[in-house]
Amino acid sequence: MAQGVLAYVEHRSGELKKAARETLGEGKRCATTLGTSLTAVIAGNNVEGLTAAIHEAGADRILVVSHPSLEEATTDGTGRAVVAAIKEADPALILFAATAEGKDIAPYVASALDAGLATDCVGLTIDGDSFTAKRPVFAGKSLINVKPVDLPLVASLRPNVFPVLSEPQTGSPEVVNLPFDDSHASRLRIKETKAVAADKVELTEASIVVSGGRGLQAPENFGLIEGLADALGAAVGASRAIVDAGWRPHEEQVGQTGKTVSPQVYIACGISGAIQHLAGMSTSQTIIAINKDQEAPIFGIATYGLVGDALEVIPALTAAVKAAKEG
Amino acid sequence: MHQVVCIKRVPDTETKVKIGSDGKSIDLSSVKYDISPYDEIALAAAVELKEKHGGEITLLTLGPGEAQKELRKCLAMGADRAVILKDDNPFRDPASTSTMLASYLSTVTFDLLYFGNKAVDSDGSQVGIRVAQKLDLPVISLATRIEVNDKEVTAHREIEGGEQVVAADLPCVITAQKGLSEPRHASLKGIMAAKKKPLEEIDIEATGEKLEIVSMETPPARTEGRIVGEGVEAVPELVRVLKEELKIL
Ligand SMILES: Cc1cc2nc3c(=O)[nH]c(=O)nc-3n(C[C@H](O)[C@H](O)[C@H](O)COP(=O)(O)OP(=O)(O)OC[C@H]3O[C@@H](n4cnc5c(N)ncnc54)[C@H](O)[C@@H]3O)c2cc1C
Ligand SMILES: Nc1ncnc2c1ncn2[C@@H]1O[C@H](COP(=O)(O)O)[C@@H](O)[C@H]1O
């Protein structure tokens, strides 16, 4: 009988991703409720050094699949490594972070296990041995509660929604190294990977996001958004209007046909607040809007609004933020 | 070259979603439909490759007969034929959708098989990858550019915080990300030609779902906000909020 909880651990440049710590934190809470333990799976090349951090973040048992062909995560290669680990652990609940990587591997794993997958969950409830996952559908215009018809249930968790463990776990984990069969390596031939600077804050995981829209008037003014984001240690986002206009790359687009973000603070500058934009950011904890039109729909969902010209307000705000941080 | 594009008919992105009287479905009575945006991008990419390399494009939809309307639109954009696998469940769990699509696709030979990276109703982001797994084919997800040479496809794909260039043998599954192509409008000639293109409806057995819908709810309303002020004069108050209320400075 399937039992226990398993979490897939995402890592980058030799460190656990924040979203991975959230997944482990929620995994541990679920395991405690079920009276069982949390198993983590980490796949990669030379990743043994991360086991202490994975344990601190919540795992009792860690399955390590280390192989040169797993250097970069791939849908099928990493997917097969995780499937093999799951067969070893036989969990009832399998958790991923709903990051680009998690959303890639979770469907592969769910399909191989012939299991249901609840994508981008914002809530997980356990009642006895029955699970209910809450997730947005129709671009967040509605929330749906789903229950697995049979186990296991695979779920990916929206970043920034589930808290990490409040105290690092002490003691030491059980670590098991699993072999990886060469024939399971990805069928994709990776020619090149261009990663952005390691110190750049990732949009979907950032706790603060500063986004700009057409209200900035011209592409050269987008530097104001980057300046404010820098001062706040925030990630940069954009509306589709300026992505389509070629001011910004698509990976910065927030919305129904872009990224979904759920930061602690989302600052929308010169963005009207079209329904497709709201789809990507309406679960942010606090929304701040800067717009010169006080009738702009964005003010309808903003926690704080400032009515004014972004080209004047942002430089003043950036300077004041810097001063406050230094002071 | 034979390309297959999976198209889902979804409520238009402007749709105001109303929960049905059973509390676990959407009231579809006044919904306007459209092609899911990423599927439209996938189709446009297939049409571009067809213009370069020749061959044919087949559209595949699991859905009701009414989806003919959206499929005719896709035929007008440059596809050659369409297949509807008849299904009347608009809220089918993507796991089940994948099994049904894969069971039909296992009877078809193709070089490239496209999906949107997600459908904008289910927000599931899973059908393309599941079908690739079921058919045991390589999958390039979140593709932003593709080229075909001989029996190989080369693609750029979005990864978190960067971009990757990958290659795979044909047949291969692609899930479309924005940027892969620009959706195009159908020409009048295209619309006329589409009327005569074959559109087949096939009965298919529904497979069991893996997730059961318990209920649907409207997201909690956001607490009413407040305007901190106007223009540059309001900046100090906003900074105070950042510092004292949000504690991020
Ligand atoms: C299928 C589909 C999918 C879509 N997906 C997305 C998506 O993923 N993301 C997305 O963002 N959009 C999406 N859209 C587009 C969306 O409908 C809007 O067109 C878009 O969000 C508008 O961008 P914007 O707010 O930057 O521009 P506008 O709507 O033009 O708004 C500009 C705002 O700036 C304000 N402004 C002007 N000058 C100044 C100034 N000097 N200072 C301060 N404020 C100023 C104006 O008052 C206005 O409110 C989608 C649309 C469709 C049909
Ligand atoms: N009923 C369907 N018929 C045809 N294609 C579908 C169907 N459902 C999903 N797809 C395809 O799978 C993609 C991803 O869907 P989803 O996993 O539900 O987000 C869509 O963009 C479509 O290309």
Side-chain angles (χ1 to χ4, degrees), chain A residues 162-178:
Chain A
F162 296 88
V164 302
L165 283 197
S166 51
E167 292 286 328
Q169 197 168 230
T170 54
S172 57
E174 179 194 346
V175 177
V176 182
N177 288 296
L178 295 179

Side-chain angles (χ1 to χ4, degrees), chain A residues 18-153:
Chain A
K18 177 166 159 243
R21 280 188 277 116
E22 293 167 6
T23 311
L24 288 164
E26 181 61 15
K28 180 68 181 184
R29 273 184 294 278
C30 292
T32 307
T33 312
L34 288 164
T36 125
S37 60
L38 174 65
T39 304
V41 180
I42 181 159
N45 191 21
N46 301 323
V47 288
E48 294 82 355
L50 285 167
T51 51
I54 297 171
H55 173 69
E56 282 183 2
D60 305 296
R61 192 162 174 256
I62 304 169
L63 308 177
V64 181
V65 199
S66 200
H67 191 272
S69 76
L70 296 171
E71 174 79 40
E72 293 191 48
T74 52
T75 321
D76 54 349
T78 310
R80 280 188 282 261
V82 176
V83 170
I86 288 170
K87 296 218 160 118
E88 143 87 16
D90 194 25
L93 177 64
I94 300 163
L95 302 178
F96 288 82
T99 54
E101 182 177 318
K103 283 201 217 156
D104 219 36
I105 298 167
Y108 189 92
V109 169
S111 176
L113 300 173
D114 202 18
L117 164 59
T119 306
D120 211 15
C121 296
V122 295
L124 212 49
T125 323
I126 298 178
D127 184 7
D129 54 5
S130 127
F131 307 123
T132 310
K134 187 191 291 296
R135 53 178 302 265
V137 286
F138 293 97
K141 287 180 229 171
S142 178
L143 294 167
I144 189 171
N145 295 302
V146 290
K147 242 169 53 182
V149 171
D150 45 29
L151 296 177
L153 168 68

Side-chain angles (χ1 to χ4, degrees), chain A residues 212-217 238-244 247 250 253-259 266 268-280 290-299 306-314, chain B residues 12-14 34-38 40 120 178:
Chain A
R214 189 144 51 195
L216 290 164
Q217 315 287 342
S239 74
R240 168 165 155 183
I242 69 170
V243 169
D244 283 356
W247 301 7
H250 174 251
Q253 182 177 320
V254 172
Q256 187 158 22
T257 48
K259 296 259 157 51
Y266 185 89
C269 308
I271 292 177
S272 60
I275 191 157
Q276 298 94 346
H277 187 81
L278 304 187
I290 300 173
N291 194 301
K292 72 171 184 193
D293 172 13
Q294 65 179 36
E295 302 294 322
I298 190 80
F299 287 126
L306 191 157
V307 181
D309 185 342
L311 303 184
E312 291 169 13
V313 171
I314 302 174
Chain B
D12 157 325
T13 57
E14 297 281 348
D34 208 341
I35 305 156
S36 191
Y38 293 106
E40 208 168 354
V120 300
K178 208 179 148 186

Side-chain angles (χ1 to χ4, degrees), chain B residues 4-36:
Chain B
V4 178
V5 185
C6 289
I7 301 285
K8 191 175 192 195
R9 169 185 107 123
V10 299
D12 157 325
T13 57
E14 297 281 348
T15 304
K16 297 238 184 331
V17 169
K18 208 167 95 206
I19 295 173
S21 53
D22 63 355
K24 49 181 179 178
S25 62
I26 297 296
D27 178 354
L28 296 171
S29 52
S30 55
V31 162
K32 279 204 301 221
Y33 289 92
D34 208 341
I35 305 156
S36 191

Side-chain angles (χ1 to χ4, degrees), chain A residues 208-226:
Chain A
I208 310 174
V209 173
V210 183
S211 279
R214 189 144 51 195
L216 290 164
Q217 315 287 342
E220 55 274 19
N221 295 332
F222 201 83
L224 298 178
I225 298 291
E226 289 170 313

